[in-house]
Amino acid sequence: MKFQAPRGTEDILPSQSAIWQTLEHHFQTLVEKFGYAEIRTPAFEDSDLFRRTAGEASDIVTKEMYDFKDKGDRNVTLKPEGTAPAMRAVIQYALCPPGNHLRLWYLTPFFRYGRPARGRWRQAHQLGCELLGSSSAQADAEVLEIAMTFMAQIGLGDEPVMINSIGRDECRAKYREVVLQHMAAYLADQEAEARALAEKNPLGLLDSKDPKAKDALVGLAPITDFLEDDSKARFESLQELLTEAEVPYKVAPYVVRGLDYYTETVFEFESKHLEGLSLFGGGRYDNLVKEIGGPATPCVGFGIGVERVILALEAMKKLPVAKGPDVFVVAATADAGGYCRKLVRDLRAQGFRVEWDVDNRSFKSQLRQADKSTAPFAVLVGTEEIETETLKVRHLNKGEQREIPQHELSEVLRTWESANK
RNA sequence: GCGGAUGUAGCUCAGUGGUUAGAGCGCCUGACUGUGGCUCAGGAGGUCGCGGGUUCAAUUCUCGUUAUCCGCCCCA
């Protein structure tokens, strides 16, 4: 085997495409009920866009950017997430002037240059929503309701979403000092590299998996103790709204998110079927649009990792199955080829999903193919049927067979109960 | 980016320092010439990841490389 898919990428094979189509269909149907419109942005952007939005200190920028120079010597980056490009387009085309609202959704590939492992790819896909122009708790509740309704619809609604508030810039600045002070003893014991990382992003310590760090965190006051009054009020209001909407949630002080642009509300969702990897995450990013040159615009949104959702569904054995054809047409004798071609065309024109053997293989082989195709019916045509203007319709699941006049075929196919195997 | 494991048929995996490298599943053909699923028989299909080294001889030992998987960092 000479070529294979590039490292960290995945082909979506015919046997898997039904899953993707099902997820996409559920998502689109759902978000359209909430008035969201789709946006599609390029696969790559000016590297500076992500440097500004993700934050210089974040891991995404410091080591996971899939960036390169193009032939025109431009620095470009394959998008590491869906939000920043969408916001760039919003600004470029003035889609959300001050005072307006805008609701966007997308399904996009995204790219991160890390070492692939379980639930972690270099190219993956994100289903996302962004609600622009509102700073209300109701906006936060709306996007969370969408995300959690989707999870419930596809069968992953058993667990609550973890929510937190990280407040405004001033609050986080204050809290960073608190964390650093609380963790000083722990950090003194760490490698220089870990210490530098922690000093750049102290909040990252909060969801550390290091048992020592976890011990050291005991007794640390949650960030919600340091929220400004309006942030606190909004966070409380959000919880009431989620309860009212029957969205299961849990307040989790350690959820802080890795991208610099988040403010106030943040959230993350994990499944017990895929521990340690979030299936979706998001929150409020009130500063992002202004940061990249647009008018100050409060926003909230989320991104769902499609591959991870599928992994979780696989673990639960809840995958949808691809639908086979409705009918398999079998030429019982070699002279029936022409008749079969016409019959196949007619049936397709009537809306049936029809397969047949283009290789004129043996009758037995054609029936075997019919069986494998999962079609509930086989239609058999040979010299005899052509002469008498009849057809044999075989119900492959039941093993029954009927001989019918040719003009009754579509009627029989529609009315004969086609229970699945 | 760091650590560990693995790489033999389409798939899941056995196996051996030396003739023609195997199994199960899958695939194809056939079992009184027009009836699938079950059974039986036969068949196709492999440069044993790639490159170097040791050796009379390497798929087997060794080194490198590459890829995959798992864990970590981080996140979707």
Side-chain angles (χ1 to χ4, degrees):
Chain A
M1 199 187 305
K2 197 148 191 194
F3 294 108
Q4 44 187 305
R7 181 152 211 216
T9 69
E10 250 187 356
D11 295 306
I12 298 161
L13 302 176
S15 59
Q16 302 161 314
S17 56
I19 305 159
W20 283 77
Q21 287 163 3
T22 303
L23 295 178
E24 288 169 36
H25 178 255
H26 273 301
F27 192 77
Q28 181 172 354
T29 307
L30 176 66
V31 296
E32 283 177 351
K33 285 181 189 162
F34 284 77
Y36 285 69
E38 185 183 8
I39 185 164
R40 303 189 190 189
T41 63
F44 60 91
E45 299 273 351
D46 189 315
S47 295
D48 285 339
L49 174 66
F50 301 115
R51 276 187 217 295
R52 301 204 68 149
T53 56
E56 288 289 349
S58 76
D59 255 43
I60 288 180
V61 171
T62 51
K63 53 184 208 195
E64 292 196 341
M65 289 259 274
Y66 214 123
D67 56 355
F68 54 95
K69 266 190 183 190
D70 72 6
K71 290 182 178 177
D73 216 29
R74 286 172 279 256
N75 286 306
V76 294
T77 297
L78 299 178
K79 54 176 154 180
E81 48 98 21
T83 302
M87 293 309 115
R88 190 227 78 228
V90 165
I91 296 166
Q92 183 174 344
Y93 302 101
L95 299 179
C96 188
N100 285 58
H101 286 156
L102 182 66
R103 289 177 167 86
L104 298 174
W105 73 271
Y106 52 78
L107 167 59
T108 180
F110 67 98
F111 307 85
R112 299 200 188 155
Y113 198 90
R115 180 179 285 209
R118 180 173 169 77
R120 188 192 313 269
W121 293 267
R122 286 187 176 169
Q123 176 182 17
H125 296 77
Q126 208 166 46
L127 276 166
C129 272
E130 317 287 354
L131 170 44
L132 289 72
S134 168
S135 54
S136 78
Q138 294 190 71
D140 298 1
E142 177 175 300
V143 297
L144 273 167
E145 187 178 342
I146 292 173
M148 290 302 282
T149 304
F150 177 71
M151 300 312 275
Q153 278 183 357
I154 62 175
L156 287 169
D158 300 337
E159 280 143 288
V161 57
M162 297 175 291
I163 64 171
N164 192 20
S165 176
I166 55 173
R168 292 205 297 259
D169 295 348
E170 310 86 72
C171 163
R172 277 196 305 289
K174 217 185 310 170
Y175 192 60
R176 273 190 200 108
E177 295 309 315
V178 172
V179 172
L180 282 177
Q181 220 161 37
H182 187 93
M183 300 296 282
Y186 165 78
L187 285 173
D189 219 29
Q190 296 297 299
E191 311 260 327
E193 197 186 338
R195 213 158 43 228
L197 188 70
E199 267 154 32
K200 265 187 180 173
N201 180 22
L203 301 190
L205 288 168
L206 297 186
D207 61 351
S208 170
K209 278 168 197 150
D210 178 5
K212 281 185 196 157
K214 283 185 170 175
D215 285 347
L217 282 167
V218 172
L220 173 67
I223 190 168
T224 42
D225 284 2
F226 299 85
L227 294 176
E228 314 279 334
D229 288 346
D230 56 332
S231 298
K232 192 171 285 183
R234 189 224 311 279
F235 192 48
E236 278 161 13
S237 170
L238 171 62
Q239 293 175 53
E240 285 163 22
L241 290 165
L242 291 176
T243 304
E244 179 194 293
E246 295 180 13
V247 171
Y249 71 91
K250 199 175 99 188
V251 175
Y254 50 87
V255 171
V256 291
R257 312 294 302 149
L259 300 166
D260 273 11
Y261 58 62
Y262 283 109
T263 55
E264 306 279 351
T265 308
V266 290
F267 49 82
E268 242 172 62
F269 180 93
E270 263 190 40
S271 162
K272 61 172 174 282
H273 301 285
L274 198 63
E275 281 183 42
L277 299 169
S278 54
L279 298 192
F280 76 77
R284 180 159 280 287
Y285 49 98
D286 291 344
N287 303 327
L288 190 152
V289 174
K290 191 170 184 191
E291 175 69 27
I292 57 175
T297 310
C299 307
V300 60
F302 64 81
I304 300 172
V306 181
E307 283 85 353
R308 286 186 178 178
V309 162
I310 291 173
L311 230 40
L313 290 174
E314 267 168 5
M316 301 171 73
K317 306 202 190 309
K318 277 197 183 174
L319 293 180
V321 182
K323 197 182 165 208
D326 301 312
V327 191
F328 199 101
V329 171
V330 172
T333 51
D335 60 326
Y339 184 91
C340 283
R341 283 196 299 277
K342 184 176 182 313
L343 179 61
V344 163
R345 244 187 317 264
D346 287 350
L347 285 170
R348 286 176 183 153
Q350 290 173 60
F352 291 102
R353 299 142 63 102
V354 190
E355 285 183 24
W356 73 303
D357 175 33
V358 293
D359 278 340
N360 303 322
R361 281 191 269 200
S362 73
F363 183 63
K364 203 180 201 91
S365 166
Q366 290 182 59
L367 269 168
R368 266 199 285 262
Q369 291 175 62
D371 187 53
K372 258 188 308 191
S373 78
T374 73
F377 298 108
V379 175
L380 317 181
V381 200
T383 316
E384 187 189 316
E385 287 79 13
I386 293 172
E387 272 171 18
T388 58
E389 297 189 4
T390 60
L391 291 168
K392 294 204 170 71
V393 180
R394 187 167 178 78
H395 198 307
L396 293 167
N397 303 341
K398 297 184 178 186
E400 293 169 18
Q401 187 165 307
R402 293 182 190 172
E403 184 170 346
I404 60 161
Q406 289 177 1
H407 65 271
E408 284 179 17
L409 178 58
S410 58
E411 182 62 20
V412 169
L413 291 177
R414 286 205 173 92
T415 53
W416 200 355
E417 181 206 347
S418 57
N420 286 327
K421 282 185 191 183

